[in-house]
Amino acid sequence: MAPYEPEQDTNEADELSAGRRKAARYVVPLAVAGVAAATIGLVPALATSGDPDLPDITAQELIEKIAASDTEQLSGTVKISTDLGLPSFGSGMTGGFAPGAGGAGGAGEDGDAGGKGSADPSAKLMELATGTHTLRVAADGPDKQKLSVLDDAAEYSLIHNGDDVWAYDSASNEAYHSKDAGKHGKQHDREGAKDLGEEVPSTPKEFAEQALKAADKSSTSVKVDGSAQVAGRDAYRLVLKPKESGSTVGQITIAVDAKTGTPLKFTLSPAGGGSAVVDAGFTKVDFGKPAASTFDFKPPKGTKVTEEGDATGHRGKDGGDFKGMEPGDGLNGLNVIGDGWTSIAELKTPGGRGLPTSGSGSDSGDVPPEAEKFLNSLGDQVKGDFGSGTVFKTRLINALVTDDGKVYVGAVTKDALVKAANAAH
Amino acid sequence: MSRAEATVQTGQTGQTGQTDPGAAVDAAGKDGGQAGAPRAVRLAWTLGLFRSELSVTFRRWRTLALLAVLAAVPVLVGIAVKIETSDGGSIGGGGPDGGGGPAFIAQVTNNGLFLVFTALAATLPFFLPMAIGVVAGDSIAGEASAGTLRYLLVAPAGRTRLLLAKYVTALTFCLVATLVVAASALAVGALLFPLGEVTTISGTRIGFGDGLLRALLIALVVAASLIGVAALGLFVSTLTSSGIAAMATTVGLLITVQIVDQIPQLHAVHPYLFSHYWLSFADLMRDPVYWDDLVKNLGLQALYAGVFGSAAWARFGAKDIAS
């Protein structure tokens, strides 16, 4: 009955050398570490293996299923990873870049993530454009939605409940409020709660809707590619591929819940290979009705509340400093060349002046030479019938800024940009 | 049973300075006289050893000083927040990143209960684990350098049981230290700031009683987050016979791990560092609670306890005790 206690039998150590006995003891910690490592390595592998067995379905039926999906109540956790190949400059710079990046998706241009001191939703959601984030979504009908961005020991919540849209940032204990009043309000309300999702789509459903909108039937191959398990649910995998060459989009995979038709996971892979540019999917999902208290927000005492109007004024002031640097603010004359996947947006910079690259000479006095060098190092110099310009590349969106002040942006390759610029010339 | 009680009492008598070797030998004499002693006696002996360890640890001036320093942190934070916000301004400057400072500090002025979370967030990265490092690092090596270890081991209590008693003592200290911080923060928060309904970081509201319950839960999770450091300290303690060296090594390892956890290029190893999920206790303040990181944290601490606890056992059981 007595537990084995090796330290007592020092006298019986005749048969086994002391050294070997000592060494044998260290097998225990090594075994513990080994078992743990094996568990960590094996469990995810086991969990992902074994795709569910689902009845066959055509792509058309699946798309109809998505369209017919009337999931109004759900709550869940979404993991979203974005890797545009942009350096992570933090929130201030992301704002400057993201609108340009979102341009091809027809996204909005509130390029002022630097708008300090307010819990302004558009600023915060721009941060989602880089890195990996965990989000929580909850919805109960068209009037109640909540989207939370989980930060370290803090959370940013966007709550739409009936007439009110609240944004609450627990890190700075600040809130942003916009009230639904009349028609304009309604419109803005939607802009605040829903279209924000379009600016920076954050749930798999929004991603999927956008992709389907973009999926012009003639230029896209749509097919169902087996099944997968997402957030513990059986799902079909819908694959969209551009037919034409020239696009930087390799393929888009949407996992659609087999029962409810709700998109559960969205993956955008670049044509150049490598890891996904955008990968957003539920890690947990529940189609039950979320608790009513989830949508019930009242700013706690002492919270600094920014009303909608205040924020706009504030924003305008801040944005002014960056004029000329922000495509969203300073560009005009949007013109879309081509359609489908390879559509390219053509814009003109104010004053018809391009970015101050080395090609444009040194007459651009407002940019110091160091900044010029920095800008040049970011892009590739190209020449063509249109003159010369600079191509700025990310893993998905490329932009050509010509020296005569035109900007071509699209989810297309560098060659396609140059071709479009030549054609436009 | 009477025998068992008697042994417990003998175990308790050794309370001066280091664990009294006399008590151990005495108890051993009684216990050893009976070959097939009932399990209850052994258990009682273990408990006696543990109790004696506990009272020795908590009667040290060093331990009391550590606890006093820990209790002072919330007082300092509370007063600083009170002074900074006395002119009606808000703490933290309110930038998009919260303006710095420990987590939850922006909410302290509205609800004193948040001082508990702020104080735990402020002490968890360094003060708490440092205190644990001192206690755990000293556990075996301190006895060795004081020359009392071999007397403790004269008893047939065995090295395994001594190690276990030392580890449980260190864990108890984790819990006590965390509760001291939480209690001090709650007292200061109640004195300086209003209490009342709590707004979770998800924006929903919960009652004060529920908030208190969550605060207690958070304190327990923070205490559990220190299990890994305690096991590491115990292992380091078995490697040397100098108490100071063991303490310094443990605290040094703690700092190193914290630095490595901050280097983005080393992100591959981050999930295996014992401090990586420490701040996950804040997830208890979300509504609904986000369990993923909390579970990862507790699992990681259990893994550290398993690996370094058994490594300490392997090292200590086969070690030549010269002092």
PDB file of all heavy atoms in Angstrom, chain A residues 7 22 25 29 36 136 146 151 154-155 170 173 284 296-297 301, chain B residues 107 110 159 202-203 205 286 288-290 292 303 310 313 315 318:
ATOM      1  N   GLU A   7      13.581   7.247  -2.871  1.00  0.00           N
ATOM      2  CA  GLU A   7      14.657   7.838  -2.084  1.00  0.00           C
ATOM      3  C   GLU A   7      14.996   6.973  -0.861  1.00  0.00           C
ATOM      4  O   GLU A   7      16.017   7.155  -0.233  1.00  0.00           O
ATOM      5  CB  GLU A   7      14.271   9.255  -1.650  1.00  0.00           C
ATOM      6  CG  GLU A   7      13.019   9.335  -0.806  1.00  0.00           C
ATOM      7  CD  GLU A   7      11.783   9.457  -1.655  1.00  0.00           C
ATOM      8  OE1 GLU A   7      11.878   9.220  -2.883  1.00  0.00           O
ATOM      9  OE2 GLU A   7      10.715   9.769  -1.117  1.00  0.00           O
ATOM     10  N   LYS A  22      19.034   7.885 -11.663  1.00  0.00           N
ATOM     11  CA  LYS A  22      18.810   9.334 -11.715  1.00  0.00           C
ATOM     12  C   LYS A  22      18.234   9.731 -13.066  1.00  0.00           C
ATOM     13  O   LYS A  22      17.269  10.480 -13.157  1.00  0.00           O
ATOM     14  CB  LYS A  22      20.126  10.090 -11.500  1.00  0.00           C
ATOM     15  CG  LYS A  22      20.476  10.286 -10.055  1.00  0.00           C
ATOM     16  CD  LYS A  22      21.723  11.130  -9.945  1.00  0.00           C
ATOM     17  CE  LYS A  22      22.210  11.155  -8.518  1.00  0.00           C
ATOM     18  NZ  LYS A  22      23.457  11.899  -8.388  1.00  0.00           N
ATOM     19  N   ARG A  25      14.553   8.986 -13.723  1.00  0.00           N
ATOM     20  CA  ARG A  25      13.544   9.872 -13.136  1.00  0.00           C
ATOM     21  C   ARG A  25      13.160  10.999 -14.094  1.00  0.00           C
ATOM     22  O   ARG A  25      12.021  11.438 -14.093  1.00  0.00           O
ATOM     23  CB  ARG A  25      14.095  10.496 -11.859  1.00  0.00           C
ATOM     24  CG  ARG A  25      14.182   9.506 -10.754  1.00  0.00           C
ATOM     25  CD  ARG A  25      14.813  10.129  -9.540  1.00  0.00           C
ATOM     26  NE  ARG A  25      14.297   9.470  -8.341  1.00  0.00           N
ATOM     27  CZ  ARG A  25      13.376   9.988  -7.576  1.00  0.00           C
ATOM     28  NH1 ARG A  25      12.886  11.167  -7.838  1.00  0.00           N
ATOM     29  NH2 ARG A  25      12.949   9.346  -6.522  1.00  0.00           N
ATOM     30  N   PRO A  29       9.207  14.008 -16.398  1.00  0.00           N
ATOM     31  CA  PRO A  29       8.901  15.327 -16.981  1.00  0.00           C
ATOM     32  C   PRO A  29       8.929  15.331 -18.491  1.00  0.00           C
ATOM     33  O   PRO A  29       8.106  15.989 -19.136  1.00  0.00           O
ATOM     34  CB  PRO A  29       9.983  16.246 -16.400  1.00  0.00           C
ATOM     35  CG  PRO A  29      11.004  15.367 -15.811  1.00  0.00           C
ATOM     36  CD  PRO A  29      10.333  14.087 -15.442  1.00  0.00           C
ATOM     37  N   ALA A  36       1.977  16.276 -23.825  1.00  0.00           N
ATOM     38  CA  ALA A  36       1.336  17.569 -24.056  1.00  0.00           C
ATOM     39  C   ALA A  36       1.564  18.029 -25.487  1.00  0.00           C
ATOM     40  O   ALA A  36       0.638  18.466 -26.173  1.00  0.00           O
ATOM     41  CB  ALA A  36       1.869  18.601 -23.069  1.00  0.00           C
ATOM     42  N   ARG A 136     -17.139  39.242 -31.967  1.00  0.00           N
ATOM     43  CA  ARG A 136     -18.344  38.554 -31.543  1.00  0.00           C
ATOM     44  C   ARG A 136     -19.519  39.210 -32.230  1.00  0.00           C
ATOM     45  O   ARG A 136     -19.601  40.438 -32.256  1.00  0.00           O
ATOM     46  CB  ARG A 136     -18.515  38.690 -30.051  1.00  0.00           C
ATOM     47  CG  ARG A 136     -17.892  37.550 -29.328  1.00  0.00           C
ATOM     48  CD  ARG A 136     -18.234  37.677 -27.901  1.00  0.00           C
ATOM     49  NE  ARG A 136     -17.918  36.446 -27.240  1.00  0.00           N
ATOM     50  CZ  ARG A 136     -17.922  36.313 -25.936  1.00  0.00           C
ATOM     51  NH1 ARG A 136     -18.238  37.345 -25.194  1.00  0.00           N
ATOM     52  NH2 ARG A 136     -17.625  35.187 -25.384  1.00  0.00           N
ATOM     53  N   LYS A 146     -25.359  43.409 -32.775  1.00  0.00           N
ATOM     54  CA  LYS A 146     -24.204  43.809 -31.979  1.00  0.00           C
ATOM     55  C   LYS A 146     -22.958  43.189 -32.583  1.00  0.00           C
ATOM     56  O   LYS A 146     -22.957  42.033 -32.982  1.00  0.00           O
ATOM     57  CB  LYS A 146     -24.366  43.332 -30.542  1.00  0.00           C
ATOM     58  CG  LYS A 146     -23.184  43.707 -29.672  1.00  0.00           C
ATOM     59  CD  LYS A 146     -23.500  43.463 -28.224  1.00  0.00           C
ATOM     60  CE  LYS A 146     -22.315  43.849 -27.362  1.00  0.00           C
ATOM     61  NZ  LYS A 146     -22.618  43.746 -25.950  1.00  0.00           N
ATOM     62  N   ASP A 151     -10.404  42.987 -27.817  1.00  0.00           N
ATOM     63  CA  ASP A 151      -9.005  43.375 -27.662  1.00  0.00           C
ATOM     64  C   ASP A 151      -8.465  42.772 -26.379  1.00  0.00           C
ATOM     65  O   ASP A 151      -9.186  42.151 -25.628  1.00  0.00           O
ATOM     66  CB  ASP A 151      -8.891  44.905 -27.581  1.00  0.00           C
ATOM     67  CG  ASP A 151      -9.270  45.579 -28.874  1.00  0.00           C
ATOM     68  OD1 ASP A 151      -9.096  44.951 -29.930  1.00  0.00           O
ATOM     69  OD2 ASP A 151      -9.750  46.719 -28.824  1.00  0.00           O
ATOM     70  N   ALA A 154      -9.910  44.473 -23.204  1.00  0.00           N
ATOM     71  CA  ALA A 154     -10.812  45.553 -23.566  1.00  0.00           C
ATOM     72  C   ALA A 154     -11.692  45.055 -24.710  1.00  0.00           C
ATOM     73  O   ALA A 154     -11.419  44.025 -25.315  1.00  0.00           O
ATOM     74  CB  ALA A 154     -10.051  46.801 -23.977  1.00  0.00           C
ATOM     75  N   GLU A 155     -12.711  45.795 -24.997  1.00  0.00           N
ATOM     76  CA  GLU A 155     -13.614  45.370 -26.050  1.00  0.00           C
ATOM     77  C   GLU A 155     -14.199  46.610 -26.702  1.00  0.00           C
ATOM     78  O   GLU A 155     -14.437  47.620 -26.032  1.00  0.00           O
ATOM     79  CB  GLU A 155     -14.712  44.500 -25.437  1.00  0.00           C
ATOM     80  CG  GLU A 155     -15.484  43.699 -26.439  1.00  0.00           C
ATOM     81  CD  GLU A 155     -16.285  42.576 -25.782  1.00  0.00           C
ATOM     82  OE1 GLU A 155     -15.764  41.931 -24.875  1.00  0.00           O
ATOM     83  OE2 GLU A 155     -17.427  42.375 -26.190  1.00  0.00           O
ATOM     84  N   SER A 170     -14.310  50.107 -24.379  1.00  0.00           N
ATOM     85  CA  SER A 170     -14.083  49.943 -22.944  1.00  0.00           C
ATOM     86  C   SER A 170     -12.662  50.332 -22.550  1.00  0.00           C
ATOM     87  O   SER A 170     -12.402  50.641 -21.397  1.00  0.00           O
ATOM     88  CB  SER A 170     -14.368  48.503 -22.520  1.00  0.00           C
ATOM     89  OG  SER A 170     -13.248  47.693 -22.729  1.00  0.00           O
ATOM     90  N   ASN A 173     -13.066  53.966 -22.263  1.00  0.00           N
ATOM     91  CA  ASN A 173     -14.342  54.250 -21.609  1.00  0.00           C
ATOM     92  C   ASN A 173     -15.058  55.415 -22.308  1.00  0.00           C
ATOM     93  O   ASN A 173     -15.495  56.360 -21.673  1.00  0.00           O
ATOM     94  CB  ASN A 173     -14.111  54.565 -20.131  1.00  0.00           C
ATOM     95  CG  ASN A 173     -15.381  54.391 -19.318  1.00  0.00           C
ATOM     96  OD1 ASN A 173     -16.251  53.606 -19.690  1.00  0.00           O
ATOM     97  ND2 ASN A 173     -15.494  55.121 -18.236  1.00  0.00           N
ATOM     98  N   LYS A 284     -17.433  29.753 -33.448  1.00  0.00           N
ATOM     99  CA  LYS A 284     -18.560  29.262 -32.641  1.00  0.00           C
ATOM    100  C   LYS A 284     -19.791  29.951 -33.185  1.00  0.00           C
ATOM    101  O   LYS A 284     -19.746  31.134 -33.482  1.00  0.00           O
ATOM    102  CB  LYS A 284     -18.373  29.688 -31.186  1.00  0.00           C
ATOM    103  CG  LYS A 284     -17.899  28.590 -30.283  1.00  0.00           C
ATOM    104  CD  LYS A 284     -17.997  29.025 -28.837  1.00  0.00           C
ATOM    105  CE  LYS A 284     -16.923  28.378 -28.019  1.00  0.00           C
ATOM    106  NZ  LYS A 284     -15.845  29.284 -27.691  1.00  0.00           N
ATOM    107  N   ASP A 296     -28.783  45.840 -24.894  1.00  0.00           N
ATOM    108  CA  ASP A 296     -29.239  46.919 -24.028  1.00  0.00           C
ATOM    109  C   ASP A 296     -28.023  47.694 -23.538  1.00  0.00           C
ATOM    110  O   ASP A 296     -27.305  47.236 -22.659  1.00  0.00           O
ATOM    111  CB  ASP A 296     -30.012  46.301 -22.861  1.00  0.00           C
ATOM    112  CG  ASP A 296     -30.455  47.357 -21.873  1.00  0.00           C
ATOM    113  OD1 ASP A 296     -30.562  48.516 -22.289  1.00  0.00           O
ATOM    114  OD2 ASP A 296     -30.681  47.007 -20.708  1.00  0.00           O
ATOM    115  N   PHE A 297     -27.801  48.837 -24.134  1.00  0.00           N
ATOM    116  CA  PHE A 297     -26.627  49.613 -23.713  1.00  0.00           C
ATOM    117  C   PHE A 297     -27.027  50.983 -23.189  1.00  0.00           C
ATOM    118  O   PHE A 297     -27.826  51.694 -23.802  1.00  0.00           O
ATOM    119  CB  PHE A 297     -25.653  49.790 -24.875  1.00  0.00           C
ATOM    120  CG  PHE A 297     -24.433  50.592 -24.494  1.00  0.00           C
ATOM    121  CD1 PHE A 297     -23.429  50.026 -23.740  1.00  0.00           C
ATOM    122  CD2 PHE A 297     -24.319  51.921 -24.869  1.00  0.00           C
ATOM    123  CE1 PHE A 297     -22.317  50.764 -23.377  1.00  0.00           C
ATOM    124  CE2 PHE A 297     -23.210  52.664 -24.511  1.00  0.00           C
ATOM    125  CZ  PHE A 297     -22.205  52.080 -23.761  1.00  0.00           C
ATOM    126  N   LYS A 301     -21.982  55.778 -16.004  1.00  0.00           N
ATOM    127  CA  LYS A 301     -21.739  57.121 -15.485  1.00  0.00           C
ATOM    128  C   LYS A 301     -20.274  57.491 -15.705  1.00  0.00           C
ATOM    129  O   LYS A 301     -19.378  56.704 -15.468  1.00  0.00           O
ATOM    130  CB  LYS A 301     -22.063  57.134 -13.990  1.00  0.00           C
ATOM    131  CG  LYS A 301     -22.825  58.366 -13.574  1.00  0.00           C
ATOM    132  CD  LYS A 301     -23.292  58.269 -12.123  1.00  0.00           C
ATOM    133  CE  LYS A 301     -22.377  57.439 -11.255  1.00  0.00           C
ATOM    134  NZ  LYS A 301     -22.761  57.260  -9.904  1.00  0.00           N
TER     135      LYS A 301
ATOM    136  N   GLN B 107     -12.177  52.913 -16.114  1.00  0.00           N
ATOM    137  CA  GLN B 107     -13.485  52.715 -15.480  1.00  0.00           C
ATOM    138  C   GLN B 107     -13.458  52.925 -13.976  1.00  0.00           C
ATOM    139  O   GLN B 107     -14.502  52.936 -13.347  1.00  0.00           O
ATOM    140  CB  GLN B 107     -14.007  51.303 -15.770  1.00  0.00           C
ATOM    141  CG  GLN B 107     -14.657  51.144 -17.128  1.00  0.00           C
ATOM    142  CD  GLN B 107     -13.707  50.512 -18.103  1.00  0.00           C
ATOM    143  OE1 GLN B 107     -12.508  50.735 -18.039  1.00  0.00           O
ATOM    144  NE2 GLN B 107     -14.213  49.734 -19.026  1.00  0.00           N
ATOM    145  N   ASN B 110     -15.643  55.530 -12.156  1.00  0.00           N
ATOM    146  CA  ASN B 110     -17.083  55.335 -12.134  1.00  0.00           C
ATOM    147  C   ASN B 110     -17.510  54.246 -11.171  1.00  0.00           C
ATOM    148  O   ASN B 110     -18.625  54.246 -10.681  1.00  0.00           O
ATOM    149  CB  ASN B 110     -17.587  54.961 -13.526  1.00  0.00           C
ATOM    150  CG  ASN B 110     -16.978  55.821 -14.581  1.00  0.00           C
ATOM    151  OD1 ASN B 110     -16.857  57.016 -14.395  1.00  0.00           O
ATOM    152  ND2 ASN B 110     -16.553  55.212 -15.674  1.00  0.00           N
ATOM    153  N   ARG B 159      11.126  12.425   0.449  1.00  0.00           N
ATOM    154  CA  ARG B 159      11.391  13.662  -0.285  1.00  0.00           C
ATOM    155  C   ARG B 159      10.164  14.100  -1.078  1.00  0.00           C
ATOM    156  O   ARG B 159       9.879  15.275  -1.185  1.00  0.00           O
ATOM    157  CB  ARG B 159      12.559  13.449  -1.231  1.00  0.00           C
ATOM    158  CG  ARG B 159      13.814  13.067  -0.483  1.00  0.00           C
ATOM    159  CD  ARG B 159      14.956  12.911  -1.429  1.00  0.00           C
ATOM    160  NE  ARG B 159      16.171  12.598  -0.687  1.00  0.00           N
ATOM    161  CZ  ARG B 159      17.371  12.660  -1.213  1.00  0.00           C
ATOM    162  NH1 ARG B 159      17.517  13.002  -2.469  1.00  0.00           N
ATOM    163  NH2 ARG B 159      18.426  12.380  -0.495  1.00  0.00           N
ATOM    164  N   SER B 202     -18.173  44.486 -22.392  1.00  0.00           N
ATOM    165  CA  SER B 202     -18.999  44.310 -23.587  1.00  0.00           C
ATOM    166  C   SER B 202     -20.118  45.328 -23.650  1.00  0.00           C
ATOM    167  O   SER B 202     -20.899  45.337 -24.590  1.00  0.00           O
ATOM    168  CB  SER B 202     -19.614  42.910 -23.610  1.00  0.00           C
ATOM    169  OG  SER B 202     -18.609  41.949 -23.600  1.00  0.00           O
ATOM    170  N   GLY B 203     -20.253  46.162 -22.624  1.00  0.00           N
ATOM    171  CA  GLY B 203     -21.266  47.205 -22.649  1.00  0.00           C
ATOM    172  C   GLY B 203     -22.554  46.841 -21.941  1.00  0.00           C
ATOM    173  O   GLY B 203     -23.428  47.676 -21.808  1.00  0.00           O
ATOM    174  N   ARG B 205     -24.837  45.524 -18.595  1.00  0.00           N
ATOM    175  CA  ARG B 205     -24.762  45.847 -17.170  1.00  0.00           C
ATOM    176  C   ARG B 205     -25.082  44.635 -16.312  1.00  0.00           C
ATOM    177  O   ARG B 205     -25.965  43.842 -16.649  1.00  0.00           O
ATOM    178  CB  ARG B 205     -25.739  46.977 -16.853  1.00  0.00           C
ATOM    179  CG  ARG B 205     -25.164  48.348 -17.123  1.00  0.00           C
ATOM    180  CD  ARG B 205     -26.259  49.357 -17.180  1.00  0.00           C
ATOM    181  NE  ARG B 205     -27.107  49.130 -18.326  1.00  0.00           N
ATOM    182  CZ  ARG B 205     -28.424  49.274 -18.311  1.00  0.00           C
ATOM    183  NH1 ARG B 205     -29.039  49.638 -17.227  1.00  0.00           N
ATOM    184  NH2 ARG B 205     -29.136  49.045 -19.404  1.00  0.00           N
ATOM    185  N   ARG B 286     -16.187  39.989 -19.849  1.00  0.00           N
ATOM    186  CA  ARG B 286     -17.003  40.098 -21.053  1.00  0.00           C
ATOM    187  C   ARG B 286     -18.352  39.449 -20.771  1.00  0.00           C
ATOM    188  O   ARG B 286     -18.500  38.642 -19.857  1.00  0.00           O
ATOM    189  CB  ARG B 286     -16.324  39.372 -22.214  1.00  0.00           C
ATOM    190  CG  ARG B 286     -14.963  39.935 -22.566  1.00  0.00           C
ATOM    191  CD  ARG B 286     -14.457  39.296 -23.846  1.00  0.00           C
ATOM    192  NE  ARG B 286     -13.009  39.396 -23.953  1.00  0.00           N
ATOM    193  CZ  ARG B 286     -12.361  40.478 -24.332  1.00  0.00           C
ATOM    194  NH1 ARG B 286     -13.024  41.560 -24.638  1.00  0.00           N
ATOM    195  NH2 ARG B 286     -11.049  40.494 -24.405  1.00  0.00           N
ATOM    196  N   PRO B 288     -21.332  37.573 -23.072  1.00  0.00           N
ATOM    197  CA  PRO B 288     -20.997  36.410 -22.257  1.00  0.00           C
ATOM    198  C   PRO B 288     -19.484  36.215 -22.134  1.00  0.00           C
ATOM    199  O   PRO B 288     -18.731  36.697 -22.968  1.00  0.00           O
ATOM    200  CB  PRO B 288     -21.626  35.248 -23.023  1.00  0.00           C
ATOM    201  CG  PRO B 288     -21.743  35.721 -24.431  1.00  0.00           C
ATOM    202  CD  PRO B 288     -21.941  37.189 -24.371  1.00  0.00           C
ATOM    203  N   VAL B 289     -19.091  35.476 -21.114  1.00  0.00           N
ATOM    204  CA  VAL B 289     -17.665  35.267 -20.858  1.00  0.00           C
ATOM    205  C   VAL B 289     -17.028  34.550 -22.037  1.00  0.00           C
ATOM    206  O   VAL B 289     -17.608  33.624 -22.602  1.00  0.00           O
ATOM    207  CB  VAL B 289     -17.487  34.439 -19.572  1.00  0.00           C
ATOM    208  CG1 VAL B 289     -16.040  34.083 -19.362  1.00  0.00           C
ATOM    209  CG2 VAL B 289     -18.030  35.195 -18.380  1.00  0.00           C
ATOM    210  N   TYR B 290     -15.837  35.012 -22.416  1.00  0.00           N
ATOM    211  CA  TYR B 290     -15.100  34.396 -23.524  1.00  0.00           C
ATOM    212  C   TYR B 290     -14.100  33.405 -22.924  1.00  0.00           C
ATOM    213  O   TYR B 290     -13.098  33.802 -22.334  1.00  0.00           O
ATOM    214  CB  TYR B 290     -14.380  35.500 -24.301  1.00  0.00           C
ATOM    215  CG  TYR B 290     -13.640  35.031 -25.515  1.00  0.00           C
ATOM    216  CD1 TYR B 290     -14.322  34.501 -26.591  1.00  0.00           C
ATOM    217  CD2 TYR B 290     -12.262  35.135 -25.592  1.00  0.00           C
ATOM    218  CE1 TYR B 290     -13.649  34.079 -27.710  1.00  0.00           C
ATOM    219  CE2 TYR B 290     -11.583  34.722 -26.716  1.00  0.00           C
ATOM    220  CZ  TYR B 290     -12.280  34.193 -27.769  1.00  0.00           C
ATOM    221  OH  TYR B 290     -11.615  33.773 -28.882  1.00  0.00           O
ATOM    222  N   ASP B 292     -12.246  30.822 -24.279  1.00  0.00           N
ATOM    223  CA  ASP B 292     -11.152  30.194 -25.029  1.00  0.00           C
ATOM    224  C   ASP B 292      -9.781  30.421 -24.395  1.00  0.00           C
ATOM    225  O   ASP B 292      -9.046  29.484 -24.097  1.00  0.00           O
ATOM    226  CB  ASP B 292     -11.144  30.718 -26.472  1.00  0.00           C
ATOM    227  CG  ASP B 292     -12.349  30.233 -27.248  1.00  0.00           C
ATOM    228  OD1 ASP B 292     -13.355  29.897 -26.595  1.00  0.00           O
ATOM    229  OD2 ASP B 292     -12.296  30.194 -28.483  1.00  0.00           O
ATOM    230  N   LEU B 303       0.135  22.388 -17.429  1.00  0.00           N
ATOM    231  CA  LEU B 303       1.256  21.773 -18.136  1.00  0.00           C
ATOM    232  C   LEU B 303       2.575  22.136 -17.453  1.00  0.00           C
ATOM    233  O   LEU B 303       3.437  21.283 -17.232  1.00  0.00           O
ATOM    234  CB  LEU B 303       1.248  22.261 -19.586  1.00  0.00           C
ATOM    235  CG  LEU B 303       2.385  21.765 -20.475  1.00  0.00           C
ATOM    236  CD1 LEU B 303       2.322  20.257 -20.603  1.00  0.00           C
ATOM    237  CD2 LEU B 303       2.306  22.389 -21.849  1.00  0.00           C
ATOM    238  N   SER B 310       7.298  17.572 -11.986  1.00  0.00           N
ATOM    239  CA  SER B 310       7.928  16.249 -12.067  1.00  0.00           C
ATOM    240  C   SER B 310       9.433  16.378 -12.258  1.00  0.00           C
ATOM    241  O   SER B 310      10.199  15.532 -11.787  1.00  0.00           O
ATOM    242  CB  SER B 310       7.305  15.420 -13.182  1.00  0.00           C
ATOM    243  OG  SER B 310       7.367  16.117 -14.402  1.00  0.00           O
ATOM    244  N   TRP B 313      10.725  16.835  -8.892  1.00  0.00           N
ATOM    245  CA  TRP B 313      10.698  15.545  -8.213  1.00  0.00           C
ATOM    246  C   TRP B 313      11.880  14.691  -8.665  1.00  0.00           C
ATOM    247  O   TRP B 313      12.572  14.065  -7.868  1.00  0.00           O
ATOM    248  CB  TRP B 313       9.376  14.847  -8.527  1.00  0.00           C
ATOM    249  CG  TRP B 313       9.315  13.415  -8.129  1.00  0.00           C
ATOM    250  CD1 TRP B 313       9.094  12.939  -6.868  1.00  0.00           C
ATOM    251  CD2 TRP B 313       9.499  12.284  -8.967  1.00  0.00           C
ATOM    252  NE1 TRP B 313       9.121  11.581  -6.873  1.00  0.00           N
ATOM    253  CE2 TRP B 313       9.375  11.139  -8.157  1.00  0.00           C
ATOM    254  CE3 TRP B 313       9.758  12.124 -10.327  1.00  0.00           C
ATOM    255  CZ2 TRP B 313       9.500   9.856  -8.658  1.00  0.00           C
ATOM    256  CZ3 TRP B 313       9.883  10.851 -10.834  1.00  0.00           C
ATOM    257  CH2 TRP B 313       9.752   9.722 -10.003  1.00  0.00           C
ATOM    258  N   ARG B 315      14.722  15.663  -9.911  1.00  0.00           N
ATOM    259  CA  ARG B 315      15.975  16.230  -9.459  1.00  0.00           C
ATOM    260  C   ARG B 315      16.158  16.039  -7.948  1.00  0.00           C
ATOM    261  O   ARG B 315      17.208  15.597  -7.481  1.00  0.00           O
ATOM    262  CB  ARG B 315      15.989  17.727  -9.798  1.00  0.00           C
ATOM    263  CG  ARG B 315      17.012  18.565  -9.091  1.00  0.00           C
ATOM    264  CD  ARG B 315      18.397  18.317  -9.636  1.00  0.00           C
ATOM    265  NE  ARG B 315      19.393  19.011  -8.807  1.00  0.00           N
ATOM    266  CZ  ARG B 315      20.679  18.724  -8.816  1.00  0.00           C
ATOM    267  NH1 ARG B 315      21.130  17.770  -9.602  1.00  0.00           N
ATOM    268  NH2 ARG B 315      21.515  19.377  -8.045  1.00  0.00           N
ATOM    269  N   ALA B 318      16.705  12.345  -6.511  1.00  0.00           N
ATOM    270  CA  ALA B 318      17.971  11.681  -6.765  1.00  0.00           C
ATOM    271  C   ALA B 318      19.160  12.522  -6.330  1.00  0.00           C
ATOM    272  O   ALA B 318      20.297  12.160  -6.574  1.00  0.00           O
ATOM    273  CB  ALA B 318      18.084  11.380  -8.255  1.00  0.00           C
TER     274      ALA B 318
END
